[in-house]
Amino acid sequence: MKNKLLLLLILTVSVLSLTACGKAEKGENGQVLVYNWGEYIDPDVLVSFEEETGIEVIYDEFETNEIMYPKVESGAGAYDVICPSDYMIKKMIANDLLATIDMEKVPNAKKYIGSQYFDQSREFDPNNEYSIPYCWGTVGILYNKTMVDDPVDSWDILWNEKYADNILMQDSVRDAFMVALKRNGASMNTLNEEQLISARDELIAQKPLVQAYVIDQVRDKMIGGEAALGVIYSGEAIYTQRENPDLEYVIPKEGTNVWIDSWVIPKNAPNMENAHKFIDYMCQPEIALKNFEYITYSTPNEGARELIEDEEIKNSPIAFPKLSDYNALETYSYLGEEGDALYNELWKEVKSE
């Protein structure tokens, strides 16, 4: 009996050893676990990274910052590299969820990311310790010229009854409130309850005109002519115009959000070294260009922009707007736990009406 038990123990250890070896062979230099927005990287880039480094990429996607955060905070997912937006990075820093990035291990970031993007990042990462800019852009109105015959230069048009059931709004608390707050001349980071209640009431009043609250679907609906107007990110607007030349993008005169999505490394990252290697690889100009061409979101990588051959895209006012030409541009700030709770409660009231 003892011999059988000993044999069983040896076999079990052997199986576990073989399993461990099999896992190691997936990437000769280990793994990197990446958590990113949907369709926010060229799949060929992940393949080339694996081929060049011998590091296996385990890739996962999220739809919103608000979906990503609780998963990371709870430890339900242990990732090496994540790509949150500005205000969420500030929240993650405030709650001690991020590791500092060793800039010596990401030389391509130091060399090719434009200094203005690091300057802008100081609004949420004051010492540029925790984040490396990946993409940036604005939020505006995309409209179909064949379906809209009014001037489109203000958020007001999204409350025009003429376009009832032809308006798409972002299914995002901060983006939805940004539209209403900016329309009223308020900051999109306000904690003034009177301003927020007024914005809530306007969103409730607008609701009967809204065809749908969407995220990624706004792109396909606008391309297909299923709606006349939609709130959209500038990178998506570039893609939609390629597919449907009747579409135009504008930044409303009342101002909007200028955002940055950046790479960060969680404190509980199981593969810190590989996380740095992945971020540095993403900052190579040729790689940043491939990602820009695939996702069409503006790149902060000046080396990549220099490589863009299409002069129209290289100097596009949508992809690379001159921000000084616009008024009241802001970056989202983290509003604190109480501020988040207030916005979320008011958003629930909008959605439940």
Side-chain angles (χ1 to χ4, degrees):
M1 185 69 175
K2 286 182 180 178
N3 288 338
K4 286 182 179 179
L5 288 173
L6 180 60
L7 179 60
L8 180 61
L9 179 62
I10 292 170
L11 287 171
T12 302
V13 171
S14 299
V15 169
L16 289 173
S17 299
L18 287 170
T19 302
C21 290
K23 287 182 178 177
E25 286 172 1
K26 286 183 180 178
E28 60 184 314
N29 294 316
Q31 298 178 330
V32 62
L33 291 81
V34 180
Y35 199 21
N36 195 9
W37 299 83
E39 298 183 43
Y40 213 39
I41 200 167
D42 185 336
D44 289 343
V45 165
L46 300 180
V47 173
S48 65
F49 174 79
E50 290 184 332
E51 290 174 347
E52 291 186 32
T53 65
I55 298 168
E56 180 192 20
V57 179
I58 307 299
Y59 196 77
D60 201 1
E61 296 180 344
F62 58 87
E63 262 199 333
T64 69
N65 287 289
E66 287 69 28
I67 290 172
M68 173 276 297
Y69 181 82
K71 188 174 182 182
V72 174
E73 182 188 37
S74 68
Y79 296 100
D80 298 308
V81 182
I82 307 175
C83 188
S85 301
D86 31 49
Y87 71 97
M88 192 55 72
I89 293 171
K90 190 170 184 178
K91 181 175 182 177
M92 296 173 87
I93 293 171
N95 289 303
D96 198 30
L97 295 179
L98 299 183
T100 56
I101 294 176
D102 185 343
M103 293 300 290
E104 297 305 314
K105 294 180 179 179
V106 286
N108 286 317
K110 292 171 64 177
K111 185 174 181 180
Y112 295 112
I113 302 298
S115 59
Q116 69 267 35
Y117 305 106
F118 278 117
D119 290 342
Q120 186 178 340
S121 297
R122 291 184 183 278
E123 293 188 31
F124 54 89
D125 181 5
N127 297 313
N128 293 136
E129 295 177 290
Y130 298 96
S131 61
I132 302 295
Y134 174 56
C135 292
W136 71 281
T138 59
V139 179
I141 299 172
L142 186 72
Y143 69 98
N144 190 313
K145 293 179 288 187
T146 69
M147 301 171 71
V148 178
D149 53 15
D150 293 290
V152 183
D153 61 356
S154 167
W155 294 115
D156 284 344
I157 198 165
L158 300 178
W159 275 258
N160 190 329
E161 294 183 1
K162 183 177 177 179
Y163 302 105
D165 201 38
N166 264 309
I167 295 168
L168 301 173
M169 285 288 287
Q170 286 287 320
D171 191 11
S172 159
V173 55
R174 294 301 299 271
D175 288 330
F177 270 86
M178 180 276 291
V179 172
L181 288 166
K182 283 295 186 184
R183 182 180 183 231
N184 289 340
S187 168
M188 65 189 195
N189 295 310
T190 186
L191 288 172
N192 181 299
E193 285 197 41
E194 186 177 335
Q195 292 177 336
L196 287 169
I197 289 170
S198 176
R200 175 204 64 188
D201 291 345
E202 292 209 12
L203 289 170
I204 290 172
Q206 181 207 31
K207 195 172 178 182
L209 309 179
V210 175
Q211 179 191 115
Y213 295 92
V214 290
I215 300 175
D216 295 335
Q217 302 95 319
V218 65
R219 178 182 67 186
D220 297 328
K221 281 179 171 289
M222 291 299 295
I223 290 171
E226 296 178 44
L229 298 143
V231 178
I232 198 168
Y233 300 107
S234 53
E236 297 278 10
I238 295 170
Y239 175 82
T240 61
Q241 286 184 321
R242 288 178 179 174
E243 301 297 313
N244 185 342
D246 290 328
L247 300 176
E248 281 292 342
Y249 176 83
V250 296
I251 296 174
K253 61 187 178 184
E254 299 93 346
T256 191
N257 170 33
V258 178
W259 52 267
I260 293 182
D261 292 341
S262 301
W263 298 117
V264 301
I265 301 175
K267 264 196 168 181
N268 66 343
N271 304 289
M272 286 281 185
E273 287 299 314
N274 289 347
H276 283 84
K277 290 176 182 177
F278 182 84
I279 292 172
D280 192 56
Y281 189 79
M282 294 300 114
C283 293
Q284 291 183 26
E286 297 81 3
I287 298 303
L289 177 63
K290 279 180 68 68
N291 283 327
F292 169 69
E293 291 176 339
Y294 181 83
I295 65 177
T296 66
Y297 278 85
S298 305
T299 176
N301 192 302
E302 293 186 344
R305 188 177 177 187
E306 285 301 313
L307 295 175
I308 297 173
E309 295 181 357
D310 186 332
E311 290 296 320
E312 186 175 347
I313 291 294
K314 192 175 187 175
N315 300 302
S316 165
I318 299 176
F320 303 104
K322 187 178 179 182
L323 298 181
S324 59
D325 290 345
Y326 301 94
N327 298 317
L329 301 179
E330 293 182 88
T331 298
Y332 285 129
S333 294
Y334 169 49
L335 303 172
E337 296 298 330
E338 290 185 6
D340 277 354
L342 176 59
Y343 271 75
N344 288 331
E345 180 57 35
L346 294 173
W347 181 233
K348 285 179 184 176
E349 292 174 14
V350 173
K351 297 298 286 291
S352 64
E353 283 294 325

